[in-house]
Amino acid sequence: MTEIKSVVCPICGCLCDDLEVTVENNEIIKMKNGCAQCEAKMVHGYKSEERILKPMIRKDGKLVPVSMDEAVHKAAQILTDAKYPLLFGWSSSTSEAQQVGVELAEELGSALDNCCSVCHGPSVMAEQEIGIPSCTLGQIRHRADLVIYWACDPWASHPRHLERYTSFTEGRFEGSEWKNYMEKLKGAASQKKVALASRRILGSYNPPIHPQTCTVDAPPQAINKNGRKLIVVDVRKTITAEAADYFLQVEPNKDYEILESMRCLVADQELDVDKVGGVPVEYLKEVTDAMVNCDFGVIFFGLGLTQSAGRFRNIEIAIALTRDLNRRTKFVISPMRGHFNVTGANVVFAWQTGYPYALDFSQGYPQYNPGEFTAIDLLRRGDNDATLVISSDPGANFPRGAMQNMMKHPIITINPDMNAISRLGDVVFPTQWCGIECEGTAYRMDLVPIMLHKVVEPPKGILNDEELLRKILEEIRAIKAKNPETENNAELKARNKLAPRIEIKQRKKTKKAEVA
Amino acid sequence: MTELLIKNGFVFDPINKINGEKMDIAIKDGKIVQKVSSKAHVIDASGLTVMPGGVDIHTHIAGGEVNTGRIIRPDDHVKDVERKTAMTRSGTGYSIPSTFTTGYRYSRMGYTTVMNPSMAPLQAKHTHEELNDIPLLDKATYPLLGDWWFVLENLAKGNVEECAKHVAWMMDITKGYAIKIVNPGGLESWGFGHNVHSIDDKVPNFCITPREIITGLARVNAMLNLPHSIHLHTNNLGLPGNYITTLDTMKALESVPYNGKPVGHITHLQFASFAGDGWAHFQSASEEISSYINAHNHMTFDMGQVIFTDTTTMTADGPFEFSLYELGGHNKWVNSDIETETSGGIIPFTYKKNSPVNALQWSIGLELALLIKDPWKMFMSTDHPNGGPFFAYPRVLAWLYSKKAREITLKHCNKKAQKKSLLPSIDREMSLYEIAIMTRAGQAKALGLSNKGQLGVGADADVAIYDINPEKLDIARQFKVARKAFKHTTYTIKDGTIVVKDGEVVNNKTPGRTMWLDIQTKNPCVIDEEMKRKFKQYWTIEYDNYPVFEHYLKVPQKLTIKASV
Amino acid sequence: MVEQKLRATLITGRTIDQGVGKEMGKGSIEYFESSAVCFMDKTDMIQLGIKSGSNVQVSSKYGSVIVKAVKFPSGITPGMVFIPCGLWANAICGDETFGMGMPLFKGFPVEVEAAPKEAVLTLDELLMKEYGR
């Protein structure tokens, strides 16, 4: 039995690296410090009966186990035969595997996209419009006395975020609010008991049916107290909201108006309306006062902003608000990245190509255009004629319209277990669980690189993403070399003859008068 | 090929005092040798200039900040692309090229060694992953230590030796090469949105001043016998009147024992040489600064030259980048503070000839280079990409070796700037020998890289051959011809292999090495449970997960240093 | 008065149970039980005449799906229904991105009807129905 410390959790963007894992007979039997999701994966999920142990090819409608060589050859053939394949996923692979992905897309002249296009792609787009004032999570721990979770529910998606990085952590300059939260919970529990008892005495209670508006409470004094304050803004009361000093409930699709109103209030402008997005303006004023008066504030935002109406404009306005606040105090903003290495996919694609996602290599050089080369858009238009899906599950997570188009052409999957897309694949590859069976680099939601550990040996014959992709790439090159007259090869040769760089012409000098 | 003979070229090798002599350079197994056999591949370098491969002491090409710059500037890349070829990977430019493109473009200009000057220790793995992907060049990187809590706390208590051990430890675990200091004290202050305004301001929450940080780390540098001096981005960078701070900084370093080796390097000096009490009265302080430098020998510098183009500023100086944003006209501002260590910021920026400030900045960089008499003190750089993209280096060289080139550009600049510029009164035109010092020999010497920047026997066989015939070409008069030659080499040779021929990459099997320092202290830093506990409090990652493990360097080159502590 | 159809706004997103379920495996009972559900406000359920734990049909212009109705654990959100992201939610989400790459996962109109006699399809059954495999 071995105990391994400082193990890195390979699930969400928190990338917690303080796990203690007990391994016996090459199996994880115990895990300490991780959240419920981590417990589910590390102790149960990774060794479930849904694990793929052999490559498979769909023959006569059924997935049949085949040798690795046969599967690699079939996958390579599909990708070389295709005129315009799409390589999608990447967010739960290591940075090393993502690098091979770029090389593969370049070799094929294919589209290359990662999961952020259905997650925080709009956040990246907003950053490209306006930049982003941000910091690493430790800065929050040490300094933040105002934490705002906007349109996200860390208790559900990033369960240890508060205890590791924000309200319930001890920093150099700010303390933990854990004790106060526990007191509040006890108080709430007693209140519930009283309410239940009253109901028993007074008979059952039918609340009136409300019209379609939400109820908003006034901000309490707690948002002006010393020490850390927590404000949650969301369309529904989540568990994170229950832990907050103030929960601001807003109408769906109204975040843009609310954020823009807050910008006006921060700039000491008067608003002509009484309510914005269902929230009375005087409540918004109290919240912006708390923001201006804090020593160090942070807005963490999630898919509630990236996925509702306005998409990247919502993020852009939230960043603009943060920027405005920097004229009055110190304020930062940070996206709650979902998968443990979706940030890594953006980082790797960007350093190798200049662009973070929504890539196209059909011209022989990287092109970027969200809305054109993003996976959903390609699928909607039926532009791609083969798809490779790696370390992700569009089968479960893409809208059915897009998936139905994907189904019209061959699908190659690379995942450790029989998730939805593996069940739908034509060539299905097994792979190692990153951070459990193989090591590699991942990038935390705040861009900090952390190396994942290997704690158990993988099942025999199963490669990791990087090795498998290399095999497929080599086979593709071998197929192309054997077929010099294929269209793809001819195209490549033609491209090679062209000048490697497109120079910019110098702007002509004008004769305008000099501005003194 | 293991043997190469470069015949009959005009060789400029300042470290070995060779000034345009017609001679042969013999290469065997990646090193310069005395002679080679008749089987050697011969390059006929008749009529060509032969120099050691270029060495760039300060260029932002890899890491978290650079990459965030790439991400937010798709507009920068779309206008400048590189297609995939049989020999090269694809990529994009312009001011922040992707990694493969960076390697190819530097190599095409004849560069063979580049130094990435800013690495946040917490993001060190990222920097090294990117450096691995920059081909054809040897590289190293400098960890940012000037606002690191361990440095601030130790120096505040006067524990210079303890500080030295921690710095040695940090250099090892980040696989770094030199101590980088940026706006010391200012970055920690920026953690709460403040800044320091002189080298004697106290840093909030830490009982220390920038003066104490700078001189303390210079002493640490000497104790550890590091090959390069401290590499310093001064306080008050980019503010009118900041030359006073720069002078104060240089004077402060006079107190550090000097034994012939420089005790400090101030980088992108142009941005630190502003006079005037505001932007309206913006003036050049190049005379004051260069007078001091001409009278003192304890420091080296690089230019930070401005190019009139659209580029991207990125530095660890978070407060400076915010003040640049506040100046107006910029819609994109990135801020990236790093816990316990440092900060950072990015602003895209266009330097305009008709801006009175930008045009004078352009003049200041050149004034400094031309007024500082000794080219071994002042090196050519643009602080890429802050002053301009590195592939504009040939333009900078032309301004240095040709007064005519300077006049032509100055004529199109803002009239106010023309009046304030000292360039009309400066006749100096650098020779090829001086250019070789400012772009390779001097930089290698300041960095302590004894095998680089020179063509003596035993040196690394990194060579650049340019189509410049010093006997026939007057580089000052025909500056455009020379400029074109500096843009693309006739040959670039890396470790004895021809990697570029006639401006095209012909060999892509040379990944280049990443150099790092293995500093051997007599009593190493003790990593006990107390230290690990402190580590857990200060950072949000575990001690075990913090270091850059050796496998992160694709081709490592460990340089062992014996410290005095 | 009990209504036949409830017009509501659909939000899809994460819950801790769905997070745990996806880590247990997409074919697991935990994933099914956590993701094939529709959280509703208590008053809306009264309006529809249904109890927590009964099945409902949720329809959008993109499709319809049978899921189990569950009361929101806290808060007041009449007119809003929440289905955890996953296969069941995506049966009714739209793939329009308005040129931004991001499809329609949140904030669009749906209709909810009681469907006590309809069964909630398992992962494999729904995959077969939607994609023929």
Side-chain angles (χ1 to χ4, degrees):
Chain A
M1 196 166 80
T2 346
E3 273 194 22
I4 310 173
K5 290 195 164 153
S6 305
V7 174
V8 184
C9 178
I11 299 180
C12 83
C14 280
L15 221 53
C16 304
D17 74 329
D18 62 342
L19 306 185
E20 288 174 27
V21 155
T22 309
V23 176
E24 193 175 76
N25 296 327
N26 200 41
E27 239 185 61
I28 300 174
I29 56 168
K30 200 164 124 190
M31 187 281 304
K32 239 175 79 176
N33 295 334
C35 70
Q37 291 181 109
C38 183
E39 173 86 20
K41 180 171 188 171
M42 301 283 268
V43 184
H44 308 284
Y46 90 93
K47 49 187 166 161
S48 80
E49 58 202 23
E50 298 261 285
R51 185 70 193 270
I52 306 171
L53 292 170
K54 283 214 87 167
M56 294 180 275
I57 293 179
R58 193 171 294 272
K59 298 181 178 177
D60 297 321
K62 276 202 152 119
L63 283 173
V64 168
V66 297
S67 70
M68 182 62 77
D69 284 346
E70 189 184 340
V72 165
H73 181 78
K74 178 84 182 167
Q77 196 68 61
I78 289 171
L79 292 169
T80 32
D81 288 346
K83 284 206 166 66
Y84 190 52
L86 162 66
L87 312 184
F88 178 81
W90 308 105
S91 52
S92 298
S93 292
T94 60
S95 132
E96 292 78 3
Q98 290 159 351
Q99 291 167 47
V100 183
V102 176
E103 203 178 339
L104 183 58
E106 192 187 62
E107 182 67 44
L108 291 166
S110 73
L112 178 69
D113 190 22
N114 62 58
C115 296
C116 91
S117 64
V118 294
C119 196
H120 272 280
S123 308
V124 177
M125 287 171 72
E127 289 173 32
Q128 292 172 334
E129 294 288 318
I130 198 174
I132 181 167
S134 195
C135 62
T136 62
L137 290 166
Q139 287 284 45
I140 313 296
R141 177 203 280 182
H142 288 303
R143 305 180 196 260
D145 63 329
L146 176 62
V147 176
I148 301 176
Y149 286 109
W150 196 301
C152 58
D153 181 15
W155 222 287
S157 56
H158 301 79
R160 294 182 74 208
H161 200 260
L162 282 91
E163 82 183 56
R164 273 179 68 76
Y165 308 124
T166 66
S167 309
F168 300 149
T169 177
E170 284 290 327
R172 188 178 187 126
F173 307 108
E174 289 291 337
S176 168
E177 280 296 298
W178 180 245
K179 263 202 203 143
N180 290 343
Y181 170 63
M182 292 309 290
E183 295 292 336
K184 205 167 90 164
L185 268 186
K186 277 193 211 150
S190 330
Q191 276 178 12
K192 258 192 181 161
K193 276 191 194 156
V194 170
L196 255 175
S198 318
R199 227 174 287 161
R200 269 188 233 120
I201 298 168
L202 301 171
S204 69
Y205 170 70
N206 283 324
I209 294 166
H210 301 279
Q212 203 149 330
T213 54
C214 49
T215 33
V216 191
D217 297 325
Q221 266 308 309
I223 62 168
N224 295 309
K225 66 179 186 194
N226 277 335
R228 295 203 209 260
K229 303 162 274 287
L230 177 63
I231 296 178
V232 170
V233 183
D234 210 334
V235 297
R236 58 190 173 104
K237 194 170 195 184
T238 58
I239 303 182
T240 315
E242 290 190 349
D245 291 304
Y246 180 46
F247 167 54
L248 180 60
Q249 187 163 2
V250 302
E251 285 170 5
N253 296 322
K254 289 284 192 273
D255 300 274
Y256 188 93
E257 290 92 323
I258 292 170
L259 288 160
E260 181 67 9
S261 307
M262 290 172 97
R263 288 189 74 197
C264 295
L265 295 170
V266 166
D268 290 324
Q269 287 172 10
E270 291 296 321
L271 294 177
D272 286 338
V273 296
D274 295 326
K275 270 190 177 185
V276 181
V279 184
V281 166
E282 70 244 34
Y283 296 178
L284 288 180
K285 184 115 205 356
E286 290 194 47
V287 173
T288 50
D289 281 348
M291 290 164 95
V292 165
N293 293 325
C294 74
D295 292 328
F296 186 118
V298 56
I299 298 173
F300 287 103
F301 66 92
L303 269 42
L305 285 187
T306 67
Q307 292 180 348
S308 53
R311 310 284 199 282
F312 75 98
R313 295 292 181 204
N314 297 332
I315 320 300
E316 193 183 330
I317 202 78
I319 294 174
L321 171 63
T322 309
R323 213 163 65 166
D324 295 344
L325 284 161
N326 271 280
R327 294 205 160 103
R328 312 282 294 271
T329 183
K330 178 80 179 184
F331 228 95
V332 294
I333 184 166
S334 192
M336 298 286 282
R337 304 304 301 266
H339 294 278
F340 74 90
N341 206 16
V342 62
T343 306
N346 291 146
V347 164
V348 170
F349 289 6
W351 93 54
Q352 291 205 335
T353 71
Y355 305 115
Y357 72 114
L359 275 152
D360 161 273
F361 284 93
S362 62
Q363 300 305 306
Y365 56 86
Q367 292 195 97
Y368 167 67
N369 201 6
E372 185 179 359
F373 304 127
T374 28
I376 299 284
D377 294 285
L378 289 167
L379 290 166
R380 281 195 81 210
R381 293 191 307 265
D383 279 0
N384 62 309
D385 55 348
T387 315
L388 178 127
V389 176
I390 176 166
S391 72
S392 70
D393 194 3
N397 296 325
F398 272 14
R400 65 198 282 271
M403 265 313 299
Q404 280 170 346
N405 274 1
M406 194 196 286
M407 296 293 298
K408 291 177 182 163
H409 301 288
I411 301 174
I412 301 159
T413 72
I414 301 177
N415 275 301
D417 68 352
M418 287 300 283
N419 58 12
I421 195 68
S422 304
R423 284 161 142 90
L424 300 173
D426 294 291
V427 182
V428 176
F429 285 100
T431 184
Q432 295 172 9
W433 287 105
C434 301
I436 300 176
E437 295 165 344
C438 73
E439 59 180 34
T441 313
Y443 286 78
R444 202 168 68 180
M445 53 167 55
D446 60 347
L447 299 166
V448 172
I450 303 180
M451 198 184 86
L452 305 164
H453 298 262
K454 172 177 170 173
V455 293
V456 294
E457 292 295 326
K460 200 162 165 227
I462 295 186
L463 305 171
N464 64 40
D465 292 343
E466 188 191 349
E467 292 163 333
L468 181 56
L469 289 166
R470 279 248 161 258
K471 265 184 121 67
I472 296 173
L473 179 58
E474 275 158 25
E475 184 67 11
I476 286 168
R477 287 182 171 144
I479 292 173
K480 280 178 156 186
K482 277 194 206 132
N483 301 304
E485 298 311 314
T486 61
E487 198 177 314
N488 284 339
N489 258 347
E491 266 178 48
L492 193 61
K493 277 194 178 155
R495 276 188 233 145
N496 285 348
K497 284 191 187 139
L498 295 168
R501 262 190 73 210
I502 298 170
E503 299 255 2
I504 318 157
K505 298 270 183 275
Q506 277 278 340
R507 266 200 352 221
K508 284 200 181 125
K509 295 165 199 152
T510 59
K511 285 184 183 161
K512 268 194 191 163
E514 305 283 355
V515 176
Chain B
M1 55 193 127
T2 54
E3 280 188 325
L4 198 59
L5 182 64
I6 306 170
K7 273 192 85 64
N8 221 19
F10 295 99
V11 176
F12 291 88
D13 181 8
I15 286 179
N16 296 302
K17 297 192 175 36
I18 297 167
N19 186 356
E21 219 179 288
K22 246 193 232 176
M23 56 188 279
D24 296 346
I25 302 289
I27 293 169
K28 186 174 174 177
D29 294 334
K31 294 280 188 187
I32 309 287
V33 294
Q34 197 65 43
K35 59 178 183 181
V36 282
S37 72
S38 53
K39 293 200 199 97
H41 176 84
V42 175
I43 292 176
D44 179 9
S46 314
L48 303 176
T49 289
V50 178
M51 289 190 183
V55 178
D56 197 340
I57 197 169
H58 186 109
T59 175
H60 297 270
I61 51 173
E65 185 144 75
V66 173
N67 208 41
T68 300
R70 288 186 187 110
I71 289 176
I72 66 154
R73 294 218 67 187
D75 49 307
D76 178 86
H77 311 320
V78 73
K79 61 190 181 191
D80 187 5
V81 302
E82 291 234 2
R83 281 211 165 91
K84 174 175 158 45
T85 68
M87 202 51 75
T88 55
R89 298 283 305 266
S90 66
T92 55
Y94 169 86
S95 66
I96 324 173
S98 51
T99 45
F100 308 122
T101 304
T102 301
Y104 305 142
R105 285 190 184 171
Y106 258 114
S107 192
R108 286 189 198 120
M109 283 198 308
Y111 274 78
T112 51
T113 305
V114 295
M115 312 301 268
N116 183 61
S118 270
M119 171 176 69
L122 188 59
Q123 295 181 333
K125 292 182 188 67
H126 182 172
T127 305
H128 285 290
E129 288 212 284
E130 289 200 22
L131 289 179
N132 285 336
D133 271 353
I134 298 177
L136 309 179
L137 304 171
D138 286 344
K139 305 141 288 222
T141 179
Y142 315 152
L144 288 150
L145 300 177
D147 286 75
W148 181 30
W149 284 359
F150 279 33
V151 162
L152 300 182
E153 287 165 0
N154 279 309
L155 290 181
K157 289 185 218 149
N159 293 342
V160 186
E161 233 184 79
E162 199 56 29
C163 183
K165 287 185 208 159
H166 282 96
V167 167
W169 168 77
M170 184 61 112
M171 201 67 70
D172 174 27
I173 62 174
T174 59
K175 300 291 177 278
Y177 188 83
I179 296 173
K180 177 70 185 292
I181 304 169
V182 172
N183 185 9
L187 308 191
E188 166 49 41
S189 311
W190 184 239
F192 280 115
H194 305 296
N195 196 1
V196 292
H197 304 288
S198 83
I199 67 169
D200 292 303
D201 276 3
K202 276 243 189 288
V203 178
N205 301 309
F206 292 85
C207 299
I208 197 167
T209 62
R211 179 191 296 272
E212 289 163 342
I213 300 171
I214 296 166
T215 51
L217 283 173
R219 292 197 164 81
V220 161
N221 204 78
M223 279 180 181
L224 297 178
N225 287 325
L226 301 191
H228 183 39
S229 59
I230 54 169
H231 197 99
L232 177 57
H233 159 140
T234 46
N235 302 105
N236 284 330
L237 187 109
L239 294 179
N242 66 6
Y243 82 96
I244 307 272
T245 312
T246 310
L247 284 174
D248 286 344
T249 305
M250 295 193 283
K251 286 174 189 162
L253 282 167
E254 288 176 37
S255 68
V256 178
Y258 168 68
N259 58 358
K261 194 165 158 275
V263 301
H265 175 98
I266 291 182
T267 185
H268 41 69
L269 188 63
Q270 172 267 128
F271 291 106
S273 304
F274 296 171
D277 58 7
W279 293 113
H281 304 115
F282 182 63
Q283 297 276 8
S284 161
S286 56
E287 272 189 313
E288 293 89 332
I289 297 287
S290 55
S291 298
Y292 178 92
I293 292 171
N294 286 333
H296 295 84
N297 296 324
H298 62 300
M299 298 190 67
T300 54
F301 309 86
D302 65 85
M303 285 163 76
Q305 178 61 28
V306 149
I307 309 288
F308 295 114
T309 189
D310 172 36
T311 187
T312 310
T313 66
M314 50 173 67
T315 87
D317 197 342
F320 162 70
E321 293 287 346
F322 181 63
S323 65
L324 199 56
Y325 162 65
E326 295 237 88
L327 273 179
H330 315 289
N331 195 34
K332 297 192 209 194
W333 167 53
V334 171
N335 186 76
S336 50
D337 299 336
I338 313 280
E339 67 213 49
T340 310
E341 294 171 2
T342 182
S343 83
I346 303 171
I347 298 255
F349 197 89
T350 304
Y351 292 101
K352 297 189 177 109
K353 281 186 191 144
N354 64 7
S355 153
V357 170
N358 297 164
L360 194 56
Q361 282 183 271
W362 169 81
S363 180
I364 290 171
L366 295 171
E367 290 166 18
L368 288 166
L370 295 163
L371 291 174
I372 292 170
K373 296 183 182 138
D374 184 357
W376 289 99
K377 287 180 181 170
M378 174 60 133
F379 314 131
M380 194 279 295
S381 78
T382 61
D383 184 21
H384 164 84
N386 289 283
F390 65 80
F391 53 82
Y393 285 173
R395 298 194 154 264
V396 181
L397 297 184
W399 289 319
L400 289 173
Y401 58 65
S402 166
K403 184 171 162 109
K404 185 167 153 204
R406 299 196 284 270
E407 281 168 354
I408 290 173
T409 305
L410 186 61
K411 210 167 55 183
H412 295 287
C413 285
N414 173 278
K415 294 259 184 302
K416 267 193 183 170
Q418 284 189 44
K419 285 204 187 89
K420 294 183 197 177
S421 169
L422 297 177
L423 291 179
S425 64
I426 301 175
D427 291 325
R428 184 179 180 192
E429 291 176 329
M430 300 273 190
S431 62
L432 279 173
Y433 189 75
E434 289 172 309
I435 296 292
I437 296 169
M438 288 186 76
T439 58
R440 38 214 90 209
Q443 313 216 22
K445 186 169 173 220
L447 285 166
L449 289 170
S450 50
N451 290 340
K452 303 282 186 207
Q454 56 133 327
L455 296 174
V457 169
D460 290 346
D462 296 342
V463 189
I465 304 177
Y466 298 103
D467 185 8
I468 294 175
N469 185 333
E471 281 179 353
K472 294 198 176 139
L473 185 69
D474 180 345
I475 61 172
R477 285 220 168 71
Q478 293 166 282
F479 68 88
K480 284 188 184 172
V481 176
R483 190 171 73 191
K484 196 169 171 203
F486 277 119
K487 234 168 112 163
H488 290 138
T489 57
T490 311
Y491 288 92
T492 307
I493 294 158
K494 182 82 191 69
D495 296 315
T497 304
I498 300 171
V499 291
V500 169
K501 187 171 183 303
D502 296 323
E504 290 310 324
V505 173
V506 295
N507 181 306
N508 63 359
K509 302 271 184 287
T510 309
R513 303 177 205 88
T514 303
M515 302 176 281
W516 62 280
L517 299 182
D518 171 31
I519 305 168
Q520 299 190 339
T521 50
K522 291 177 190 156
N523 299 308
C525 192
V526 173
I527 310 296
D528 56 8
E529 288 312 305
E530 166 64 25
M531 170 83 159
K532 286 190 182 180
R533 191 187 56 79
K534 209 174 182 182
F535 203 96
K536 218 177 157 75
Q537 283 174 345
Y538 282 20
W539 280 279
T540 50
I541 71 173
E542 297 288 302
Y543 171 79
D544 293 330
N545 291 324
Y546 191 79
V548 174
F549 309 109
E550 277 212 43
H551 74 264
Y552 270 97
L553 275 57
K554 196 152 71 180
V555 187
Q557 183 177 28
K558 183 163 81 168
L559 304 166
T560 304
I561 310 282
K562 277 201 161 40
S564 313
V565 292
Chain C
M1 190 183 94
V2 170
E3 299 276 354
Q4 291 286 56
K5 277 188 189 180
L6 172 78
R7 285 204 177 82
T9 303
L10 173 68
I11 308 285
T12 68
R14 300 289 306 276
T15 68
I16 185 68
D17 294 326
Q18 172 262 347
V20 168
K22 70 173 170 51
E23 297 306 326
M24 295 299 276
K26 291 285 165 44
S28 69
I29 187 76
E30 289 87 354
Y31 183 66
F32 175 71
E33 285 179 345
S34 62
S35 307
V37 294
C38 177
F39 291 92
M40 297 177 67
D41 187 79
K42 188 176 173 180
T43 57
D44 288 338
M45 293 175 97
I46 293 171
Q47 206 174 330
L48 262 186
I50 59 169
K51 282 192 155 35
S52 191
S54 65
N55 291 351
V56 290
Q57 177 171 286
V58 187
S59 314
S60 71
K61 78 178 194 193
Y62 311 105
S64 74
V65 72
I66 308 288
V67 283
K68 185 166 79 171
V70 176
K71 188 169 70 96
F72 267 119
S74 63
I76 303 162
T77 49
M80 186 194 304
V81 298
F82 179 92
I83 301 180
C85 51
L87 187 63
W88 294 267
N90 280 307
I92 60 175
C93 283
D95 59 355
E96 290 153 350
T97 77
F98 307 100
M100 290 185 276
M102 173 68 78
L104 211 46
F105 286 132
K106 290 188 201 288
F108 60 94
V110 292
E111 282 179 351
V112 185
E113 301 169 80
K117 298 203 173 85
E118 304 285 342
V120 179
L121 297 182
T122 63
L123 182 98
D124 285 312
E125 287 167 343
L126 189 54
L127 284 174
M128 181 58 75
K129 175 173 177 255
E130 303 279 302
Y131 306 125
R133 283 190 186 168

